Amino acid sequence: MPIINRIADLTDEIATWRRDFHENPELLFDVHRTAGIVADKLKAFGCDEVVTGIAQTGVVGVIKGRTNASGKVIGLRADMDALPIEEATDLPYKSKTPGKMHACGHDGHTAMLLGAAKYLAETRNFDGTAIMIFQPAEEGGGGGDAMIKDGLMERFGVQEVYGMHNMPGLPVGHFAIKPGPIMAAADRFSITIEGKGAHAARPHDGIDTILVASHVITALQSVASRNVDPLESVVVSVCSIKSGETFNVIPQTAELLGTVRTLSPAVQDLAEDRIRGIVDGVCAAFGAKASITYWRGYPVTVNDTEKTSFIVDVAKQIAGENAVDTGVQPMMGSEDFSFMLNERPGAYIFVGNGDTAGLHHPAYNFDDEAAPYGVSLWAKVVEAGMPAR
C-alpha cells in the first residue's frame, strides 16, 4: 500500500510542526523548548503515558494498541537536537538563533515521529505497545547512550527498536538500508609531541616538533594502506595541527587532533593499537616524546538481519519494490542510535530527502514531501510488527 490516507491528510500539519522546530533550533541536551512541545503534543494526542526528563530532556510517549495479547513492545526513535552552524538559506522559517540550525534534519525526524504518534493514538490498530522515543544530544552528546543509562529499555519494556534518518541524494519516496554494519564507530585522538625549541637558524640545537608531526601524519596513513585488510574499512584523519607562533622559532610542542572511523570492533582495536605504536615509534626516532589520549566514541551501528528484512518488507509496501535499496553502502559517519541497537535488536533505515544540500551543510533543509513516507513507515512498522487480532 502507498502512503496511508490519514497520514497524507496530516502532511500540512506535520510540515507546520517541522518548520517551527527548524526556526527554533536547540543544541545537545538543551532542547527544552522542543521537548516541551513534543510532550504537550503527545498528551494532546491521547498517549497513554508521557514521560519527560529521561537523560535530562528526552521524552517518551506510550501508545497501547486495542489489544495486548502479544505482549510485544516496539520502540521508534527520533533525535531532536540541531547543530552549531550559521544557516545560509532564505527560507521564511530559517533559524532565528544565530549560530544554530537544523542542518541534519532532526526537525524532520521529530515531526515525523510526532505524526506517527498522532496517527497511532487515533487508530490503535495493533496488538501490543508502541514506544515513541524522542532523544536529545545525538550530535556528539551521546544522548542515546544517556537514555539507555537512564533505564529506557527496561522501564518501557522495549523489545525491538527502529531509527530513521533522511538522506540527501536519495529521491523522495525511496528508502535505503542494509543488514549488518551501516554506520561507523567514531573515535577521537589527541597527540602531544614534545621536542626541543630552538632558533629557526639553528635547527641542530633543537628537536623540531613540526618535522616530527609531519612524519607522524604521513606514517598514520599506513594504518589504512598497510595494516588493515583491504576488504575492511577504516579512516584515520588528522584534522588539526597546532604548533608554533612565529616565523623564526622552532616550537617546543605540537598538538594533533583527529578521528578514526571503523565498521568492526576488531578493526577498531587494531587501529588504536597501530596509532599508538606509530606515534611512539616515529617520535622516538627523532628523539621526541609523545603523549596520546584516545577516546572511544559512538560504536558501530549494526542492523539486525531479521529486523532489517522486516522493515524492508514494510518499506516496499509503502514505496514500491523498486524504491527500496537493500544494498546501500555503509557510511563512515557515525550515529548514536548504535547504543540502542547494542541493547535491543532493530534496524536503522534511510528515507530519501531528494536533491538537497548535504547533511551538516549551511544550506541544507529537510524536504517536507519526504515526511508522509517516513510517517507511513513508522505507522506500518507498528501495525505490521504487532498485527491487530
Side-chain angles (χ1 to χ4, degrees):
M1 64 175 291
I3 292 170
I4 297 168
N5 288 337
R6 174 58 180 138
I7 289 172
D9 293 340
L10 294 173
T11 298
D12 290 344
E13 187 175 7
I14 293 168
T16 299
W17 302 336
R18 202 278 299 180
R19 295 178 182 193
D20 176 69
F21 294 140
H22 189 93
E23 204 170 21
N24 297 278
E26 298 174 296
L27 304 182
L28 295 171
F29 291 97
D30 189 21
V31 290
H32 298 281
R33 179 185 185 276
T34 305
I37 291 171
V38 166
D40 288 345
K41 289 192 182 299
L42 293 176
K43 292 172 185 175
F45 299 159
C47 289
D48 296 282
E49 184 181 4
V50 177
V51 180
T52 60
I54 300 174
Q56 300 181 46
T57 46
V59 181
V60 171
V62 178
I63 304 171
K64 297 178 180 178
R66 293 179 185 174
T67 57
N68 190 27
S70 70
K72 196 169 181 180
V73 182
I74 291 178
L76 307 177
R77 171 268 201 178
D79 36 20
M80 298 186 288
D81 57 322
L83 283 157
I85 295 174
E86 187 71 32
E87 183 164 356
T89 75
D90 294 320
L91 296 168
Y93 51 85
K94 73 177 291 186
S95 171
K96 292 179 180 178
T97 308
K100 300 179 185 179
M101 75 166 289
H102 271 291
C104 203
H106 297 186
D107 50 346
H109 302 167
T110 301
M112 287 193 294
L113 191 55
L114 280 174
K118 181 166 186 174
Y119 169 83
L120 291 169
E122 286 179 0
T123 58
R124 300 181 184 264
N125 189 32
F126 58 96
D127 177 62
T129 304
I131 307 298
M132 310 286 108
I133 303 166
F134 294 86
Q135 179 207 305
E138 189 281 325
E139 298 289 358
D145 188 35
M147 291 191 82
I148 289 166
K149 289 176 178 175
D150 236 357
L152 171 70
M153 299 300 181
E154 296 79 13
R155 179 172 181 177
F156 298 99
V158 177
Q159 297 167 359
E160 54 193 78
V161 65
Y162 298 89
M164 179 171 12
H165 204 292
N166 74 95
M167 178 185 280
L170 183 69
V172 170
H174 287 232
F175 294 95
I177 192 173
K178 69 174 292 292
I182 192 167
M183 296 193 74
D187 299 338
R188 296 180 295 147
F189 60 82
S190 170
I191 301 166
T192 300
I193 300 170
E194 184 171 355
K196 183 180 178 183
H199 194 291
R202 297 182 60 82
H204 56 288
D205 289 338
I207 298 173
D208 187 344
T209 51
I210 292 180
L211 175 64
V212 178
S214 299
H215 279 270
V216 167
I217 293 168
T218 300
L220 287 177
Q221 304 317 303
S222 67
V223 176
S225 67
R226 289 298 178 267
N227 297 137
V228 174
D229 185 328
L231 299 180
E232 298 281 0
S233 298
V234 64
V235 173
V236 179
S237 294
V238 177
C239 301
S240 174
I241 309 172
K242 296 179 181 178
S243 186
E245 302 292 340
T246 189
F247 63 90
N248 62 350
V249 177
I250 292 173
Q252 177 84 9
T253 62
E255 183 183 30
L256 310 179
L257 302 177
T259 186
V260 179
R261 305 300 173 102
T262 54
L263 289 172
S264 76
V267 175
Q268 186 179 27
D269 291 341
L270 174 60
E272 179 179 355
D273 180 68
R274 291 305 304 131
I275 288 169
R276 291 183 181 277
I278 288 168
V279 171
D280 288 340
V282 170
C283 288
F286 284 92
K289 297 179 180 179
S291 61
I292 308 169
T293 304
Y294 199 98
W295 296 272
R296 292 289 180 107
Y298 295 174
V300 182
T301 303
V302 181
N303 281 343
D304 178 84
T305 300
E306 179 185 339
K307 304 309 177 189
T308 299
S309 178
F310 161 69
I311 202 170
V312 163
D313 289 343
V314 174
K316 287 179 177 179
Q317 292 177 36
I318 295 162
E321 188 81 22
N322 297 323
V324 182
D325 180 357
T326 58
V328 65
Q329 288 296 309
M331 299 181 186
M332 300 311 284
S334 64
E335 164 62 61
D336 81 341
F337 185 64
S338 54
F339 290 108
M340 296 191 184
L341 288 178
N342 281 352
E343 295 295 317
R344 297 292 187 273
Y348 190 69
I349 191 168
F350 296 105
V351 60
N353 201 56
D355 186 18
T356 65
L359 301 174
H360 293 211
H361 190 281
Y364 168 86
N365 187 37
F366 181 87
D367 190 333
D368 290 314
E369 296 299 317
Y373 294 95
V375 178
S376 293
L377 180 73
W378 279 154
K380 294 305 294 182
V381 163
V382 170
E383 292 178 346
M386 302 182 289
R389 300 186 176 220

